[in-house]
Amino acid sequence: SSGSGKSTFVNTLCESPVILRKDHLDAEKAAAPKTINITPTTIEMDEDGLKLSLTVVDTPGFGDNINNEPAFADILEYIEHQYEEILSQESRIKRNPRFQDNRVHVLLYFVQPTGHGLREMDIEFMRTLGPRVNVIPVISKADSMTPQELNAFKKKVMEDISHYKIPIYDFPYDEDEDDEETIEENTELRGLLPFSVIGSEDEIVLNGRRVRCRQYPWGVVEVDNSKHCDFSKLRYMLLSSHLHDVKDITHEVLYESWRTEKLSKEGHHDDDEEEVVID
Ligand code: GDP
């Protein structure tokens, strides 16, 4: 929903003002019904010497109306539209060498720090979108909770996710196939879900170090300090350690299941799919 800290988060993640912050103080605009506006922005980044092209698709206006179902449908349609494009490209005899794959590899779902578990809208949204995209739940404005409250809230959110069988990206691994290091790393990241984040575009010098933080009369919370929130772990996972995994799952699992469903709905079936009965 508006005001949950999405724009600040994206700007913190990209270390530049990619998304202009909206004017929340305009009462007239705030009360008007919102249409969601899906806006992709591509940023060229340099991650430890590696060039990375990151496209962020913001969905301002989602969750702001009394009935948010049309907004769900718009986001789902956007994601499936990218799959349609791939399917039509795959079926061409001559492929377009300049074709751009715009599939969404991760959807960060901002859970508001209410302390009360998931709302019905959160459940419905993640259940609808989870089969189509890697959903990673994130608790924004984590500085509004004490560490105990945050831990209890995380636990509650995960209990809801399991109770309502919400399909999220939970750092899957294979005990038999994956190496020990991967299993350990994925278990640790899974244990952090939902990631707590703090966003800020302000920097100060603290003990001789430049830190991104939010300053309050009672202290300073640091965006990149893993004792304060999971921002740095989430950033590293998204842009480095799990970049290929989320892409692979998108292609091999999510896109494949969409493709199979779509083609079977249209009445296509493979010739070698015929049942063979052997006595
Ligand atoms: P958006 O509408 O979801 O894009 O939200 P914005 O990024 O515009 O943020 C809404 C308000 O929340 C702004 O006043 C931000 O300064 C504030 N905000 C953003 N991130 C945080 C955070 O991590 N902690 C706190 N306490 N406030 C935040």
Side-chain angles (χ1 to χ4, degrees), residues 1-9 21-22 24 58 140-144 197-200 214 216:
S1 313
S2 291
S4 56
K6 298 182 301 296
S7 315
T8 314
F9 171 82
R21 295 257 306 280
K22 283 131 234 117
H24 295 284
D58 190 16
S140 60
K141 303 190 183 181
D143 55 320
S144 62
V197 299
I198 294 167
S200 172
R214 301 184 72 83
Y216 296 106

Side-chain angles (χ1 to χ4, degrees), residues 52 54 105 169 236-248:
L52 188 77
L54 176 74
H105 300 119
Y169 177 76
Y236 183 67
M237 162 268 126
L238 286 174
L239 304 184
S240 185
S241 65
H242 286 68
L243 179 67
H244 290 292
D245 197 46
V246 291
K247 283 182 151 188
D248 288 349

Side-chain angles (χ1 to χ4, degrees), residues 95-117:
R95 295 188 185 200
N96 174 1
R98 267 169 298 168
F99 173 76
Q100 214 180 333
D101 178 356
N102 286 325
R103 282 175 293 184
V104 178
H105 300 119
V106 168
L107 183 149
L108 297 176
Y109 187 79
F110 276 57
V111 177
Q112 307 230 11
T114 58
H116 294 297

Side-chain angles (χ1 to χ4, degrees), residues 14-52:
C14 301
E15 291 167 26
S16 62
V18 176
I19 301 182
L20 289 180
R21 295 257 306 280
K22 283 131 234 117
D23 186 1
H24 295 284
L25 303 176
D26 185 336
E28 206 175 301
K29 276 194 208 146
K34 305 253 171 60
T35 46
I36 69 152
N37 175 9
I38 299 181
T39 40
T41 316
T42 300
I43 314 119
E44 304 300 329
M45 297 173 82
D46 192 329
E47 269 307 289
D48 296 331
L50 268 183
K51 291 246 176 299
L52 188 77

Side-chain angles (χ1 to χ4, degrees), residues 237-279:
M237 162 268 126
L238 286 174
L239 304 184
S240 185
S241 65
H242 286 68
L243 179 67
H244 290 292
D245 197 46
V246 291
K247 283 182 151 188
D248 288 349
I249 292 187
T250 304
H251 183 63
E252 289 160 19
V253 182
L254 302 163
Y255 168 68
E256 268 315 304
S257 97
W258 171 83
R259 183 179 166 278
T260 313
E261 273 174 45
K262 181 177 163 75
L263 296 182
S264 16
K265 249 193 243 155
E266 288 172 0
H268 297 264
H269 55 85
D270 293 339
D271 292 341
D272 57 1
E273 239 178 34
E274 267 162 43
E275 232 175 272
V276 180
V277 183
I278 303 171
D279 284 331

